[in-house]
Every structure is written in structure tokens, then in C-alpha cells.
Amino acid sequence: MQFDQLKRRDFITLVGGAVGWPLATRAQQPAMPVVGFLGSDSPDLYTDRLHAFRQGLKETGYVEGQNLAIEYRWAEGRNDQLSTLAADLVRRQVAVIAAFTTPSTLALKAATSTIPIVFFTAGDPVALGFVASLNRPGGNLTGTTTLTLEVGSKWLQLLHEMVPTATTFALLVNPTSPNLADAQSKDLQAAARTLGLQIHVLQASTDGELNTVFERLVQLQAGGLVISSDSFLFARSEQLAALAVRHAAPTIFGFREFAKAGGLMSYGANLWDQDRTMGVYTGRILKGEKPADLPVQQATKIELVINLKTAKALSLTVPPTLLTRADEVIE
């Protein structure tokens, strides 16, 4: 009897230990990495860009919801909220943070010097203080750039080709992004002097101010409007395109999404490529690479997109020289 009871106790102990084995094994598995994401606007405006970002992650072996979690923070167009949201992601101790705009990158840079940050900026990352150099970032930041200042003067040139009789133009900037606004203002003013043109700098950081800008544009009798490559303005591509047609204003922007939304012209890098690269870099950092060793990737292809339907609505005849140089013509 005692022998049977002893065997029964040993059996229960053995079974109990076996039941615990999978639990112990699961406990030893590494936790799913968490990536932070700081957006300047609302989620619905980032659908295509997030798709490209996730594609880049997938290429490095990471799929959201399977072996990766993403913590999203959205400023809903209010740059003054970015510092609070950045601090929240830092407290969350995420592994890497992705920043799709210059203002969000500035907020994150001020919030942490240790958590890796992968950014996209239309400005110069060195001038903005993000990295020591493009080839050797040197800190906890790396990412992609369109280097807008290198093509900014081209915007004015293209717009002048579209409206050759005009001598006065305007530049729209967002004053809540002072780094980008100041740099692009100086660049376009220098380009205007070279071309013998006059340019007025107009500002808008709210939807209401956008209406005022176009009213001011009519008062100035400006021949066209260059739109700064700012995230607030990018998020309002459709609104800007509609206002431009309503006020008969030829416009050019740095993103093809503007021309697709009904804007006259765009000249700039393909955002899909930039955002996919951000995903790849995020995945590589998760695998152990350091931001300091990953060179900032510059856009290699600049695209000119012309919306012929909008040109007709503005009673503009697109010069053949522009049409032959266009990478895409929307009819």
C-alpha cells in the first residue's frame, strides 16, 4: 500500500513538472519588440505611407501583430502636442521610434538621446542638427531625406515656365515649422533674385489661414504659388488643390500626392520609396545595427507630375517642353 501511494505521488509530481515545461519555455522566449511611431497629423492621412513603412519592415522579417507591435501617437495637426507625445513614447521605452515629419523628429530628438530614431525629413538633416553628416550620422538618429532645398529653386523655375508672363509669385510656409520655413524662404528668395522675379512669403498653420492666403494671393496678383514641403500642408493637399482652382492660382508642391489630389504640378521624391526605406532601417536596428552606422538615405529619383485636367480648369496651356520632361501626366 505504501509502495502504491509512493508511486502515485511520484507520478503526480512528474506530470505536474511536465505541465510546467511549456510555461517555462514560453517565459524564456523574448518579448515582442515594440516600435514607436510619432505622426504630426491624423491616421487617415498616413494610410499609403504606413503601408510603405510596413513593407520595409516586412522585408527585414517583421510583421505588425505577428512578431512586432507598434505604438502610435498622433498630434492631429498640432505641432505643440508633439513634445508631450514624444515624452510618452520615451517613457514607454520602445525599441525604436519612427518619425515621418521634421517637427516630430525635432520633438523626439529633444526627448531622448538613447532610443534609436528613424526619420523622414524634406529638409537638410545636418543643418537641422539631426546628424553629424549624411554618411556618418554619429548619434541615435538616421533616416531618409528628399533634400528639398536642392530642388526648391526648381519649383519656382517650373512654375515660371508654366506662367512665363508672370513676374510675381508667392511661397506658402507653415510658421510652426520654423526651421523648414526659414530655410525654404531664403532658398526661394535667392532663386527669385536669380530669375529676376519677386516672391512674397505667406504663412498658414490653420485651415482658416489657408483661405486667407489664397485671398491674399489674388490681392498680390501673383502668377503662382509654391507650397512648402511641410507636413501640415501635405496633409491638406486636397484642400489646397481645391482652393487653387477656386482662386485660379497655378501651384506647385514637392509631393505627387498633391497633383493626384488636383493640384497643378508636383516636383519631388517618391514618398513610397522613402517610407519603405524607413521600415527597412527600423528592422535593421531591431536586429542590432546602430543608427550611427546607417547612412542617411537621399532620394535618388525626382519626379515631375503635371495634372492636365487642372491646367485646363485654370485656362493654362502647358508648354510642350514641360510635357516632354514630365514623368507622369494626369489627364
Side-chain angles (χ1 to χ4, degrees), residues 83-163:
S83 294
T84 301
L85 297 173
D88 185 43
L89 286 173
V90 172
R91 282 193 298 270
R92 178 70 174 78
Q93 295 185 331
V94 295
V96 190
I97 307 177
F100 272 28
T101 67
T102 301
S104 59
T105 306
L106 287 167
L108 287 166
K109 184 177 185 298
T112 179
S113 59
T114 55
I115 297 176
I117 298 167
V118 179
F119 62 77
F120 165 81
T121 180
D124 182 343
V126 178
L128 289 165
F130 294 168
V131 296
S133 72
L134 297 180
N135 289 332
R136 297 179 179 276
N140 64 314
L141 286 82
T142 190
T144 68
T145 178
T146 59
L147 285 178
T148 295
L149 293 182
E150 294 187 358
V151 300
S153 59
K154 190 72 173 179
W155 294 338
L156 186 57
Q157 180 186 328
L158 289 167
L159 198 54
H160 189 224
E161 285 186 54
M162 183 69 78
V163 195

Side-chain angles (χ1 to χ4, degrees), residues 35-113:
V35 169
F37 178 93
L38 183 57
S40 295
D41 298 289
S42 55
D44 58 311
L45 298 171
Y46 280 74
T47 302
D48 292 340
R49 300 193 64 187
L50 283 172
H51 182 54
F53 178 67
R54 293 184 183 115
Q55 175 62 33
L57 282 168
K58 186 177 181 180
E59 290 175 17
T60 57
Y62 291 99
V63 178
E64 183 180 8
Q66 294 184 15
N67 60 352
L68 175 75
I70 302 180
E71 287 275 342
Y72 297 95
R73 300 292 183 273
W74 304 98
E76 302 290 345
R78 295 185 57 187
N79 284 348
D80 60 335
Q81 295 297 307
L82 288 169
S83 294
T84 301
L85 297 173
D88 185 43
L89 286 173
V90 172
R91 282 193 298 270
R92 178 70 174 78
Q93 295 185 331
V94 295
V96 190
I97 307 177
F100 272 28
T101 67
T102 301
S104 59
T105 306
L106 287 167
L108 287 166
K109 184 177 185 298
T112 179
S113 59

Side-chain angles (χ1 to χ4, degrees), residues 228-248:
S228 169
S229 53
D230 173 78
S231 58
F232 167 79
L233 299 172
F234 172 79
R236 284 150 183 81
S237 291
E238 291 186 8
Q239 182 181 351
L240 286 165
L243 284 168
V245 171
R246 186 186 311 163
H247 292 85

Side-chain angles (χ1 to χ4, degrees), residues 75-327:
E76 302 290 345
R78 295 185 57 187
N79 284 348
D80 60 335
Q81 295 297 307
L82 288 169
S83 294
T84 301
L85 297 173
D88 185 43
L89 286 173
V90 172
R91 282 193 298 270
R92 178 70 174 78
Q93 295 185 331
V94 295
V96 190
I97 307 177
F100 272 28
T101 67
T102 301
S104 59
T105 306
L106 287 167
L108 287 166
K109 184 177 185 298
T112 179
S113 59
T114 55
I115 297 176
I117 298 167
V118 179
F119 62 77
F120 165 81
T121 180
D124 182 343
V126 178
L128 289 165
F130 294 168
V131 296
S133 72
L134 297 180
N135 289 332
R136 297 179 179 276
N140 64 314
L141 286 82
T142 190
T144 68
T145 178
T146 59
L147 285 178
T148 295
L149 293 182
E150 294 187 358
V151 300
S153 59
K154 190 72 173 179
W155 294 338
L156 186 57
Q157 180 186 328
L158 289 167
L159 198 54
H160 189 224
E161 285 186 54
M162 183 69 78
V163 195
T165 57
T167 57
T168 300
F169 292 87
L171 167 67
L172 173 58
V173 300
N174 176 9
T176 67
S177 300
N179 302 74
L180 189 60
D182 291 346
Q184 292 187 337
S185 295
K186 292 178 182 177
D187 182 60
L188 265 292
Q189 287 167 343
R193 288 192 295 270
T194 300
L195 295 170
L197 303 173
Q198 184 179 12
I199 192 160
H200 297 271
V201 179
L202 307 178
Q203 299 183 341
S205 59
T206 67
D207 291 337
E209 289 174 348
L210 290 178
N211 293 316
T212 303
V213 161
F214 280 87
E215 292 169 2
R216 178 63 176 150
L217 201 63
V218 174
Q219 294 171 359
L220 292 169
Q221 297 183 324
L225 178 69
V226 176
I227 302 172
S228 169
S229 53
D230 173 78
S231 58
F232 167 79
L233 299 172
F234 172 79
R236 284 150 183 81
S237 291
E238 291 186 8
Q239 182 181 351
L240 286 165
L243 284 168
V245 171
R246 186 186 311 163
H247 292 85
T251 49
I252 188 167
F253 202 0
F255 306 109
R256 73 183 303 275
E257 285 74 9
F258 174 67
K260 285 181 60 180
L264 177 61
M265 284 193 296
S266 67
Y267 184 73
N270 188 310
L271 285 181
W272 173 276
D273 293 337
Q274 305 297 297
D275 298 333
R276 185 193 64 80
T277 299
M278 285 184 65
V280 170
Y281 264 19
T282 300
R284 289 174 63 177
I285 290 171
L286 288 173
K287 290 179 180 293
E289 295 189 61
K290 298 184 183 302
D293 301 328
L294 296 173
V296 174
Q297 295 295 313
Q298 301 179 60
T300 56
K301 183 180 180 183
I302 304 298
E303 301 173 329
L304 172 62
V305 181
I306 299 174
N307 190 317
L308 273 186
K309 183 178 178 181
T310 301
K312 291 176 182 177
L314 296 174
S315 300
L316 289 173
T317 300
V318 181
T321 53
L322 275 181
L323 285 175
T324 56
R325 282 147 55 196
D327 295 277

